[in-house]
Each structure stands twice: as C-alpha cells, then as structure tokens.
Amino acid sequence: MEGLRDRAPAAPEEIAAIAVNMVVTGGPDGDRVLHFAEGRFDRGLVDGAPTTVTLPHRVARSMLVDLDPEPAITAFMTGEIRVEGDLTRLLELQQSGSMLAPTPDQLAFIGELRELTQ
C-alpha cells in the first residue's frame, strides 16, 4: 500500500487547497483516521483541517474505492455520516467535479487500490 501512495496522480488545482479529516469506523482492522489534503488521502489527521467527517467503513469504501455515491447519500440522510466543522469544504469537493468525474490517471490508480483491498 505504501508504494501505491507514491504513484498517486497529481491533484487537480481546484481541490489542492482543501483539507478534510476523516474517521472511518467499523473497518476490518478497527477504526481508522485519515485526511484529505493537497489533493490526496493519507493516514492520520491533519492540523488545521476545518472539517471532520465520521463515516462507516462500508460507506467510505463504496464512495472512495467503488466510486458509488449512493450509499454515502443514504448514509448522510440517515445520520450515519457525521460532519463536524465547515460543511462547505465538502461541497467544494463535490462541486469541483474531480470527485465525481475522475481523470483516466485517477481511475487507473483507483483500480490498483481496489485490487489491493478486495
């Protein structure tokens, strides 16, 4: 997994300045903390992130690895996703289009990640 991180495609300019912390609960190895900053995900929380999202593992996987937003929408509406802080940062990510329409390089990278996490 570490080697894959070094091969991640560059972030689109419109999301490079956005930082969001995430707490993923109920995963196969327990709860995990990670962050999205400078256009990529990494372990741990980032200081100064204005937003923290807490969500179940199954929802995080469907959204980030399987690229299926439906479970995330349902989880948000039913309260399974909790957002602390500035919700507009999440809206900026969603509205940028880069999260909904990944580039070919991003799709290839996500495919490699999917293979490692099955």
Side-chain angles (χ1 to χ4, degrees):
M1 202 61 103
E2 296 300 318
L4 188 60
R5 179 185 326 191
D6 296 335
R7 295 194 320 264
E13 268 185 48
E14 64 268 20
I15 63 170
I18 297 173
V20 175
N21 285 326
M22 294 180 74
V23 178
V24 179
T25 61
D29 298 321
D31 296 352
R32 297 285 187 208
V33 294
L34 60 138
H35 66 273
F36 178 84
E38 299 177 6
R40 43 177 28 165
F41 286 95
D42 208 343
R43 293 181 184 150
L45 302 178
V46 66
D47 290 335
T51 310
T52 299
V53 178
T54 302
L55 68 166
H57 176 267
R58 66 175 171 71
V59 175
R61 179 179 172 81
S62 72
M63 188 172 63
L64 302 173
V65 177
D66 299 333
L67 301 179
D68 180 4
E70 290 301 318
I73 294 167
T74 301
F76 186 79
M77 299 303 267
T78 60
E80 285 186 276
I81 295 178
R82 296 184 308 278
V83 179
E84 297 174 37
D86 188 357
L87 181 62
T88 61
R89 304 308 279 175
L90 297 179
L91 296 174
E92 287 175 26
L93 281 173
Q94 189 255 343
Q95 291 173 350
S96 73
S98 58
M99 297 298 271
L100 298 176
T103 66
D105 287 344
Q106 290 169 326
L107 287 172
F109 179 77
I110 291 167
E112 289 182 63
L113 177 62
R114 190 177 295 131
E115 286 181 27
L116 286 173
T117 59
Q118 287 189 17

Coordinates of all heavy atoms in Angstrom, one line a residue, residues 12-107:
P12 N -6.0 17.8 -8.9 CA -6.5 18.9 -9.7 C -6.3 20.2 -8.9 O -6.5 20.2 -7.6 CB -8.0 18.6 -9.9 CG -8.1 17.2 -9.7 CD -7.0 16.8 -8.7
E13 N -6.0 21.3 -9.5 CA -5.8 22.6 -8.8 C -6.9 23.0 -8.0 O -6.7 23.6 -6.9 CB -5.5 23.7 -9.9 CG -4.1 23.9 -10.2 CD -3.9 25.1 -11.1 OE1 -4.4 26.1 -10.9 OE2 -3.2 24.9 -12.1
E14 N -8.2 22.8 -8.4 CA -9.3 23.3 -7.7 C -9.5 22.7 -6.4 O -10.3 23.2 -5.5 CB -10.6 23.2 -8.6 CG -11.0 21.8 -8.9 CD -10.5 21.3 -10.3 OE1 -9.5 21.9 -10.8 OE2 -11.0 20.4 -10.8
I15 N -8.9 21.5 -6.1 CA -9.1 20.9 -4.8 C -7.8 20.8 -4.0 O -7.8 20.3 -2.8 CB -9.7 19.5 -4.9 CG1 -8.8 18.5 -5.7 CG2 -11.1 19.6 -5.5 CD1 -9.3 17.1 -5.6
A16 N -6.7 21.3 -4.5 CA -5.4 21.2 -3.8 C -5.4 21.8 -2.5 O -4.6 21.4 -1.6 CB -4.3 21.7 -4.7
A17 N -6.1 22.9 -2.3 CA -6.1 23.7 -1.0 C -7.1 23.2 0.0 O -7.2 23.7 1.1 CB -6.3 25.1 -1.3
I18 N -7.9 22.2 -0.3 CA -9.0 21.7 0.6 C -8.4 20.6 1.5 O -7.7 19.7 1.1 CB -10.2 21.1 -0.2 CG1 -10.8 22.3 -1.0 CG2 -11.2 20.5 0.7 CD1 -11.9 21.8 -2.0
A19 N -8.7 20.8 2.8 CA -8.2 19.8 3.8 C -9.5 19.3 4.6 O -10.2 20.1 5.1 CB -7.2 20.4 4.7
V20 N -9.6 18.0 4.7 CA -10.7 17.4 5.4 C -10.2 16.2 6.2 O -9.5 15.3 5.6 CB -11.9 16.9 4.5 CG1 -13.0 16.2 5.3 CG2 -12.4 18.1 3.7
N21 N -10.5 16.1 7.5 CA -10.2 14.9 8.3 C -11.3 13.9 8.2 O -12.5 14.3 8.1 CB -9.9 15.3 9.7 CG -8.6 15.9 9.9 OD1 -7.6 15.6 9.2 ND2 -8.5 16.9 10.9
M22 N -11.0 12.6 8.2 CA -12.0 11.6 8.2 C -11.7 10.5 9.3 O -10.5 10.2 9.5 CB -12.0 10.8 6.9 CG -12.4 11.7 5.7 SD -12.3 10.8 4.1 CE -13.8 9.8 4.3
V23 N -12.8 10.1 9.9 CA -12.7 9.0 10.9 C -13.6 7.9 10.3 O -14.8 8.1 10.1 CB -13.2 9.4 12.3 CG1 -13.2 8.2 13.2 CG2 -12.4 10.6 12.8
V24 N -13.0 6.8 9.9 CA -13.7 5.6 9.3 C -13.9 4.6 10.4 O -12.9 4.1 11.0 CB -12.9 5.1 8.1 CG1 -13.7 3.9 7.5 CG2 -12.7 6.2 7.1
T25 N -15.1 4.3 10.7 CA -15.5 3.4 11.8 C -15.9 2.0 11.3 O -16.4 1.8 10.2 CB -16.6 3.9 12.6 OG1 -17.8 4.1 11.8 CG2 -16.3 5.3 13.2
G26 N -15.6 1.0 12.1 CA -16.1 -0.4 11.8 C -15.4 -1.1 10.7 O -16.0 -2.0 10.1
G27 N -14.2 -0.8 10.4 CA -13.4 -1.5 9.4 C -12.9 -2.8 9.8 O -13.0 -3.1 11.0
P28 N -12.4 -3.6 8.9 CA -11.9 -4.9 9.3 C -10.7 -4.9 10.3 O -10.6 -5.8 11.1 CB -11.4 -5.5 8.0 CG -11.6 -4.5 6.9 CD -12.3 -3.3 7.5
D29 N -10.0 -3.8 10.3 CA -8.9 -3.6 11.3 C -9.3 -2.6 12.4 O -8.4 -2.0 13.0 CB -7.6 -3.2 10.6 CG -7.2 -4.3 9.7 OD1 -7.3 -5.5 10.0 OD2 -6.7 -3.9 8.6
G30 N -10.6 -2.3 12.6 CA -11.0 -1.3 13.6 C -11.2 0.0 12.9 O -11.2 0.2 11.7
D31 N -11.3 1.0 13.8 CA -11.5 2.4 13.3 C -10.2 3.0 12.8 O -9.1 2.6 13.3 CB -12.0 3.3 14.4 CG -13.4 2.9 14.9 OD1 -14.0 2.0 14.3 OD2 -13.9 3.4 15.9
R32 N -10.2 3.8 11.8 CA -9.0 4.5 11.2 C -9.3 6.0 11.1 O -10.4 6.4 10.8 CB -8.7 3.9 9.9 CG -8.4 2.4 9.9 CD -7.0 2.2 10.4 NE -6.7 0.8 10.2 CZ -5.8 0.2 11.0 NH1 -5.2 0.8 12.0 NH2 -5.5 -1.1 10.8
V33 N -8.2 6.7 11.2 CA -8.2 8.1 10.9 C -7.4 8.4 9.7 O -6.3 7.8 9.6 CB -7.8 9.0 12.2 CG1 -8.8 8.9 13.3 CG2 -6.4 8.7 12.6
L34 N -7.9 9.3 8.9 CA -7.1 9.7 7.7 C -7.5 11.1 7.4 O -8.4 11.7 8.0 CB -7.4 8.8 6.5 CG -8.8 8.6 6.1 CD1 -8.8 8.6 4.5 CD2 -9.4 7.3 6.6
H35 N -6.8 11.7 6.4 CA -7.2 13.0 5.9 C -7.0 13.1 4.4 O -6.4 12.3 3.8 CB -6.3 14.1 6.6 CG -4.9 14.0 6.2 ND1 -4.0 13.2 6.9 CD2 -4.1 14.6 5.3 CE1 -2.8 13.3 6.4 NE2 -2.8 14.1 5.3
F36 N -7.7 14.1 3.9 CA -7.6 14.5 2.5 C -7.0 15.9 2.5 O -7.6 16.8 3.1 CB -9.0 14.5 1.8 CG -8.9 14.9 0.4 CD1 -8.6 14.0 -0.6 CD2 -9.2 16.2 0.0 CE1 -8.6 14.4 -1.9 CE2 -9.1 16.6 -1.3 CZ -8.8 15.7 -2.3
A37 N -5.8 16.1 1.9 CA -5.2 17.4 1.9 C -4.2 17.3 0.6 O -3.7 16.3 0.3 CB -4.4 17.6 3.1
E38 N -4.1 18.5 0.0 CA -3.2 18.6 -1.1 C -3.6 17.6 -2.2 O -2.8 17.1 -3.0 CB -1.7 18.5 -0.8 CG -1.3 19.5 0.2 CD 0.2 19.4 0.6 OE1 0.9 18.5 0.1 OE2 0.6 20.1 1.5
G39 N -4.9 17.4 -2.3 CA -5.5 16.5 -3.3 C -5.3 15.0 -3.2 O -5.6 14.3 -4.1
R40 N -4.9 14.6 -2.0 CA -4.7 13.1 -1.8 C -5.0 12.7 -0.4 O -5.0 13.5 0.5 CB -3.3 12.7 -2.2 CG -2.2 13.5 -1.7 CD -0.8 13.1 -2.0 NE -0.6 12.2 -3.2 CZ 0.5 12.0 -3.8 NH1 1.6 12.5 -3.3 NH2 0.6 11.2 -4.8
F41 N -5.3 11.5 -0.2 CA -5.6 10.9 1.1 C -4.3 10.4 1.7 O -3.4 9.9 1.0 CB -6.6 9.7 1.0 CG -8.0 10.1 0.7 CD1 -8.5 10.2 -0.6 CD2 -8.8 10.5 1.8 CE1 -9.8 10.6 -0.9 CE2 -10.1 10.9 1.5 CZ -10.6 11.0 0.2
D42 N -4.3 10.5 3.1 CA -3.1 9.9 3.8 C -3.6 9.6 5.2 O -4.6 10.0 5.7 CB -2.0 10.9 3.8 CG -0.6 10.2 3.9 OD1 -0.6 9.0 4.3 OD2 0.4 10.9 3.7
R43 N -2.8 8.8 5.9 CA -3.1 8.4 7.3 C -3.0 9.6 8.2 O -2.3 10.5 8.0 CB -2.1 7.3 7.7 CG -2.2 6.1 7.0 CD -1.2 5.1 7.5 NE -1.3 3.9 6.7 CZ -0.3 3.1 6.5 NH1 0.9 3.3 7.0 NH2 -0.4 2.0 5.8
G44 N -3.7 9.4 9.3 CA -3.7 10.4 10.4 C -4.6 11.6 10.1 O -5.1 11.8 9.0
L45 N -4.6 12.5 11.1 CA -5.4 13.7 10.9 C -4.4 14.9 10.6 O -3.3 14.9 11.0 CB -6.2 14.0 12.2 CG -7.1 12.9 12.7 CD1 -7.8 13.3 14.0 CD2 -8.2 12.7 11.6
V46 N -4.9 15.9 9.9 CA -4.1 17.0 9.5 C -4.5 18.2 10.4 O -5.7 18.4 10.6 CB -4.2 17.3 8.0 CG1 -5.6 17.8 7.6 CG2 -3.2 18.3 7.6
D47 N -3.5 18.8 11.0 CA -3.7 20.0 11.8 C -4.4 21.1 11.0 O -4.0 21.3 9.8 CB -2.4 20.5 12.4 CG -1.9 19.6 13.5 OD1 -2.6 18.8 14.1 OD2 -0.6 19.6 13.7
G48 N -5.4 21.8 11.6 CA -6.0 22.9 10.9 C -7.1 22.6 9.9 O -7.6 23.5 9.3
A49 N -7.4 21.3 9.7 CA -8.5 21.0 8.8 C -9.8 21.5 9.4 O -10.1 21.3 10.5 CB -8.6 19.5 8.6
P50 N -10.6 22.3 8.6 CA -11.8 22.9 9.1 C -12.9 21.9 9.2 O -14.0 22.3 9.8 CB -12.1 24.0 8.1 CG -11.5 23.5 6.8 CD -10.3 22.7 7.2
T51 N -12.8 20.7 8.7 CA -13.9 19.8 8.7 C -13.4 18.4 9.1 O -12.4 17.9 8.6 CB -14.5 19.7 7.2 OG1 -14.7 21.0 6.8 CG2 -15.8 18.9 7.2
T52 N -14.3 17.7 9.8 CA -14.0 16.3 10.1 C -15.3 15.5 9.8 O -16.4 15.9 10.3 CB -13.6 16.0 11.6 OG1 -12.4 16.8 11.9 CG2 -13.4 14.6 11.9
V53 N -15.1 14.4 9.0 CA -16.2 13.6 8.6 C -16.0 12.2 9.3 O -15.0 11.6 9.2 CB -16.3 13.4 7.1 CG1 -17.4 12.5 6.7 CG2 -16.4 14.7 6.4
T54 N -17.1 11.7 10.0 CA -17.1 10.4 10.5 C -18.1 9.5 9.8 O -19.2 9.9 9.6 CB -17.4 10.4 12.0 OG1 -16.5 11.3 12.7 CG2 -17.4 9.0 12.7
L55 N -17.6 8.4 9.3 CA -18.5 7.5 8.5 C -18.1 6.1 8.6 O -17.0 5.8 8.9 CB -18.5 7.9 7.0 CG -17.2 7.7 6.2 CD1 -17.6 7.9 4.7 CD2 -16.1 8.7 6.6
P56 N -19.1 5.2 8.4 CA -18.8 3.7 8.5 C -17.9 3.3 7.3 O -17.9 3.8 6.2 CB -20.2 3.1 8.3 CG -21.2 4.1 8.5 CD -20.5 5.4 8.2
H57 N -17.1 2.2 7.6 CA -16.2 1.7 6.6 C -16.9 1.3 5.3 O -16.4 1.7 4.2 CB -15.5 0.5 7.2 CG -14.6 -0.2 6.2 ND1 -15.0 -1.3 5.4 CD2 -13.3 0.0 5.9 CE1 -14.0 -1.7 4.7 NE2 -13.0 -0.9 4.9
R58 N -18.0 0.7 5.3 CA -18.7 0.3 4.1 C -19.1 1.5 3.3 O -19.0 1.4 2.0 CB -19.9 -0.6 4.4 CG -21.0 0.2 5.1 CD -22.3 -0.7 5.3 NE -23.2 0.1 6.2 CZ -23.9 1.1 5.8 NH1 -23.8 1.6 4.6 NH2 -24.7 1.7 6.7
V59 N -19.4 2.6 3.9 CA -19.8 3.8 3.1 C -18.5 4.4 2.5 O -18.5 4.8 1.4 CB -20.5 4.8 4.0 CG1 -20.8 6.1 3.3 CG2 -21.8 4.2 4.5
A60 N -17.4 4.5 3.3 CA -16.2 5.1 2.8 C -15.7 4.2 1.6 O -15.3 4.8 0.6 CB -15.1 5.1 3.9
R61 N -15.7 2.9 1.7 CA -15.3 2.1 0.6 C -16.1 2.3 -0.6 O -15.6 2.4 -1.7 CB -15.3 0.6 1.0 CG -14.8 -0.2 -0.1 CD -14.7 -1.7 0.2 NE -14.5 -2.4 -1.1 CZ -13.3 -2.6 -1.6 NH1 -12.2 -2.1 -1.0 NH2 -13.2 -3.2 -2.7
S62 N -17.4 2.3 -0.5 CA -18.3 2.5 -1.6 C -18.0 3.8 -2.3 O -18.0 3.9 -3.5 CB -19.8 2.3 -1.3 OG -20.2 3.4 -0.5
M63 N -17.8 4.9 -1.5 CA -17.6 6.2 -2.0 C -16.2 6.4 -2.6 O -16.1 6.9 -3.8 CB -17.8 7.2 -0.9 CG -17.8 8.6 -1.2 SD -18.3 9.7 0.2 CE -17.0 9.4 1.3
L64 N -15.1 5.9 -2.0 CA -13.8 6.2 -2.4 C -13.1 5.2 -3.2 O -12.3 5.5 -4.1 CB -12.9 6.5 -1.1 CG -13.4 7.6 -0.2 CD1 -12.6 7.6 1.1 CD2 -13.4 8.9 -0.9
V65 N -13.5 3.9 -3.1 CA -12.9 2.8 -3.8 C -13.8 2.3 -5.0 O -13.4 2.2 -6.1 CB -12.5 1.7 -2.9 CG1 -11.9 0.5 -3.7 CG2 -11.5 2.1 -1.8
D66 N -15.1 2.2 -4.7 CA -16.0 1.7 -5.7 C -16.6 2.8 -6.5 O -17.3 2.5 -7.5 CB -17.1 0.9 -5.0 CG -16.6 -0.3 -4.2 OD1 -15.5 -0.9 -4.6 OD2 -17.3 -0.8 -3.3
L67 N -16.4 4.1 -6.1 CA -16.9 5.2 -6.8 C -18.4 5.2 -6.9 O -19.0 5.7 -7.9 CB -16.2 5.4 -8.2 CG -14.7 5.5 -8.2 CD1 -14.2 5.6 -9.6 CD2 -14.2 6.7 -7.3
D68 N -19.1 4.7 -5.9 CA -20.5 4.7 -5.9 C -21.0 5.7 -4.8 O -20.9 5.4 -3.6 CB -21.0 3.3 -5.6 CG -22.5 3.1 -5.5 OD1 -23.2 4.1 -5.8 OD2 -23.0 2.0 -5.2
P69 N -21.6 6.8 -5.2 CA -22.0 7.8 -4.2 C -23.3 7.5 -3.5 O -23.7 8.1 -2.5 CB -22.1 9.1 -5.0 CG -22.5 8.6 -6.4 CD -21.8 7.3 -6.6
E70 N -24.1 6.6 -4.0 CA -25.5 6.3 -3.5 C -25.4 5.9 -2.0 O -26.2 6.5 -1.2 CB -26.2 5.2 -4.3 CG -26.6 5.7 -5.7 CD -27.5 6.9 -5.6 OE1 -28.5 6.9 -4.8 OE2 -27.3 7.8 -6.5
P71 N -24.6 5.0 -1.5 CA -24.6 4.7 -0.1 C -24.2 5.9 0.8 O -24.7 6.0 1.9 CB -23.5 3.5 0.0 CG -23.5 2.9 -1.3 CD -23.8 4.0 -2.3
A72 N -23.4 6.7 0.2 CA -23.0 7.9 1.0 C -24.2 8.9 1.1 O -24.4 9.5 2.2 CB -21.8 8.6 0.3
I73 N -24.9 9.0 0.1 CA -26.1 9.9 0.1 C -27.1 9.4 1.2 O -27.6 10.1 2.0 CB -26.8 10.0 -1.3 CG1 -25.8 10.8 -2.2 CG2 -28.1 10.8 -1.2 CD1 -26.2 10.7 -3.7
T74 N -27.4 8.1 1.1 CA -28.3 7.5 2.0 C -27.8 7.6 3.5 O -28.5 8.0 4.4 CB -28.5 6.0 1.7 OG1 -29.1 5.9 0.4 CG2 -29.5 5.3 2.7
A75 N -26.5 7.3 3.7 CA -25.9 7.4 5.0 C -25.9 8.8 5.5 O -26.2 9.0 6.7 CB -24.4 6.9 5.0
F76 N -25.7 9.8 4.7 CA -25.8 11.2 5.2 C -27.2 11.5 5.6 O -27.4 12.1 6.6 CB -25.3 12.1 4.1 CG -25.2 13.6 4.5 CD1 -24.1 14.0 5.2 CD2 -26.2 14.5 4.2 CE1 -24.1 15.3 5.7 CE2 -26.2 15.8 4.6 CZ -25.1 16.2 5.3
M77 N -28.2 11.1 4.8 CA -29.6 11.5 5.1 C -30.1 10.7 6.4 O -31.0 11.2 7.0 CB -30.5 11.1 3.9 CG -30.1 11.8 2.6 SD -30.2 13.6 2.8 CE -31.8 13.9 2.3
T78 N -29.5 9.6 6.7 CA -30.0 8.8 7.8 C -29.1 9.1 9.1 O -29.3 8.5 10.1 CB -30.0 7.3 7.6 OG1 -28.7 6.9 7.2 CG2 -31.0 7.0 6.4
G79 N -28.1 10.0 9.0 CA -27.3 10.3 10.1 C -26.1 9.4 10.4 O -25.4 9.5 11.4
E80 N -25.8 8.5 9.4 CA -24.6 7.6 9.6 C -23.3 8.4 9.3 O -22.3 8.0 9.8 CB -24.7 6.4 8.7 CG -25.7 5.3 9.1 CD -25.6 4.2 8.2 OE1 -26.2 4.2 7.1 OE2 -24.8 3.2 8.5
I81 N -23.4 9.4 8.5 CA -22.3 10.3 8.3 C -22.4 11.5 9.1 O -23.5 12.2 9.1 CB -22.1 10.6 6.8 CG1 -21.8 9.4 6.0 CG2 -21.0 11.7 6.6 CD1 -21.8 9.7 4.5
R82 N -21.4 11.8 10.0 CA -21.5 13.0 10.8 C -20.4 13.9 10.3 O -19.3 13.5 10.1 CB -21.2 12.6 12.3 CG -22.3 11.7 12.8 CD -22.2 11.4 14.3 NE -20.9 10.9 14.7 CZ -20.5 9.6 14.6 NH1 -21.3 8.7 14.1 NH2 -19.3 9.2 15.0
V83 N -20.8 15.2 10.2 CA -19.8 16.2 9.8 C -19.7 17.2 10.9 O -20.7 17.8 11.4 CB -20.3 16.9 8.5 CG1 -19.4 18.0 8.1 CG2 -20.5 15.9 7.4
E84 N -18.4 17.5 11.3 CA -18.1 18.5 12.3 C -17.3 19.6 11.6 O -16.4 19.3 10.9 CB -17.3 17.9 13.5 CG -18.0 16.8 14.2 CD -17.1 16.2 15.3 OE1 -16.2 16.9 15.9 OE2 -17.1 14.9 15.4
G85 N -17.7 20.8 11.8 CA -17.0 21.9 11.3 C -17.6 22.4 10.0 O -18.9 22.5 9.9
D86 N -16.8 22.8 9.0 CA -17.3 23.5 7.9 C -17.7 22.6 6.7 O -16.9 22.0 6.0 CB -16.1 24.4 7.4 CG -16.4 25.3 6.3 OD1 -17.6 25.3 5.8 OD2 -15.5 26.1 5.8
L87 N -19.0 22.5 6.6 CA -19.7 21.6 5.6 C -19.4 22.1 4.2 O -19.3 21.3 3.2 CB -21.2 21.5 5.8 CG -22.0 20.7 4.9 CD1 -21.6 19.2 5.0 CD2 -23.5 20.8 5.2
T88 N -19.1 23.4 4.0 CA -18.9 24.0 2.7 C -17.6 23.4 2.1 O -17.5 23.3 0.8 CB -18.7 25.5 2.7 OG1 -17.6 25.9 3.5 CG2 -20.0 26.1 3.2
R89 N -16.7 22.9 2.9 CA -15.4 22.3 2.3 C -15.8 21.0 1.5 O -15.3 20.7 0.5 CB -14.4 22.0 3.4 CG -14.0 23.2 4.2 CD -13.6 24.3 3.3 NE -12.2 24.1 2.9 CZ -11.6 24.9 2.1 NH1 -12.1 26.0 1.6 NH2 -10.3 24.7 1.7
L90 N -16.8 20.2 2.1 CA -17.2 19.0 1.4 C -18.0 19.4 0.1 O -17.8 18.7 -0.9 CB -18.1 18.2 2.3 CG -17.5 17.6 3.6 CD1 -18.5 16.9 4.4 CD2 -16.3 16.8 3.2
L91 N -18.7 20.4 0.2 CA -19.5 20.9 -1.0 C -18.5 21.3 -2.1 O -18.8 21.1 -3.3 CB -20.5 22.0 -0.6 CG -21.6 21.6 0.3 CD1 -22.4 22.8 0.7 CD2 -22.4 20.5 -0.3
E92 N -17.4 22.0 -1.7 CA -16.4 22.4 -2.7 C -15.8 21.2 -3.4 O -15.6 21.2 -4.6 CB -15.3 23.2 -2.0 CG -15.7 24.6 -1.6 CD -14.7 25.3 -0.8 OE1 -13.5 25.0 -1.0 OE2 -15.0 26.2 0.0
L93 N -15.5 20.1 -2.6 CA -15.0 18.9 -3.2 C -16.0 18.3 -4.2 O -15.7 17.9 -5.3 CB -14.7 17.8 -2.2 CG -13.4 18.0 -1.4 CD1 -13.3 17.0 -0.3 CD2 -12.2 17.9 -2.3
Q94 N -17.2 18.2 -3.8 CA -18.3 17.6 -4.6 C -18.5 18.5 -5.9 O -18.6 18.0 -7.0 CB -19.6 17.5 -3.8 CG -20.6 16.7 -4.5 CD -21.8 17.6 -5.0 OE1 -21.9 18.7 -4.6 NE2 -22.5 17.0 -5.9
Q95 N -18.5 19.8 -5.7 CA -18.8 20.7 -6.8 C -17.7 20.8 -7.8 O -17.9 21.2 -9.0 CB -19.3 22.1 -6.3 CG -20.6 22.0 -5.7 CD -20.9 23.4 -5.0 OE1 -20.1 24.2 -4.9 NE2 -22.2 23.5 -4.5
S96 N -16.5 20.5 -7.4 CA -15.3 20.6 -8.3 C -15.4 19.7 -9.5 O -14.8 19.9 -10.5 CB -14.0 20.3 -7.5 OG -13.9 18.9 -7.2
G97 N -16.2 18.6 -9.3 CA -16.3 17.7 -10.4 C -15.2 16.6 -10.4 O -15.4 15.5 -10.9
S98 N -14.1 16.9 -9.8 CA -13.0 16.0 -9.8 C -13.3 14.7 -9.0 O -12.8 13.6 -9.3 CB -11.7 16.6 -9.4 OG -11.9 17.1 -8.1
M99 N -14.1 14.8 -8.0 CA -14.5 13.7 -7.2 C -15.6 12.8 -8.0 O -15.6 11.6 -7.8 CB -15.1 14.1 -5.8 CG -14.1 14.8 -5.0 SD -12.6 13.8 -4.6 CE -13.2 13.0 -3.1
L100 N -16.4 13.5 -8.8 CA -17.4 12.7 -9.5 C -17.0 12.3 -10.9 O -17.6 11.4 -11.4 CB -18.7 13.6 -9.6 CG -19.3 14.0 -8.2 CD1 -20.4 15.0 -8.5 CD2 -19.7 12.8 -7.5
A101 N -16.0 12.9 -11.4 CA -15.5 12.6 -12.8 C -14.0 12.5 -12.8 O -13.3 13.4 -13.2 CB -16.0 13.6 -13.8
P102 N -13.5 11.4 -12.2 CA -12.0 11.2 -12.1 C -11.4 11.2 -13.5 O -12.0 10.7 -14.5 CB -11.9 9.9 -11.4 CG -13.2 9.5 -10.9 CD -14.2 10.2 -11.7
T103 N -10.1 11.6 -13.6 CA -9.3 11.6 -14.8 C -9.0 10.1 -15.1 O -9.0 9.2 -14.2 CB -8.1 12.4 -14.6 OG1 -7.2 11.8 -13.6 CG2 -8.4 13.8 -14.3
P104 N -8.5 9.8 -16.3 CA -8.0 8.4 -16.6 C -6.9 8.0 -15.6 O -6.9 6.8 -15.2 CB -7.6 8.5 -18.0 CG -8.4 9.6 -18.6 CD -8.6 10.6 -17.5
D105 N -6.0 8.9 -15.3 CA -4.9 8.5 -14.3 C -5.5 8.2 -12.9 O -5.1 7.2 -12.3 CB -3.9 9.7 -14.2 CG -3.0 9.8 -15.4 OD1 -3.0 8.8 -16.2 OD2 -2.4 10.8 -15.5
Q106 N -6.5 9.0 -12.5 CA -7.1 8.7 -11.2 C -7.9 7.4 -11.2 O -7.8 6.6 -10.3 CB -8.1 9.9 -10.8 CG -7.3 11.1 -10.5 CD -8.3 12.3 -10.4 OE1 -9.3 12.4 -11.1 NE2 -7.9 13.2 -9.5
L107 N -8.6 7.1 -12.3 CA -9.3 5.8 -12.4 C -8.3 4.6 -12.4 O -8.6 3.6 -11.8 CB -10.1 5.8 -13.7 CG -11.4 6.7 -13.7 CD1 -12.0 6.7 -15.1 CD2 -12.4 6.2 -12.7

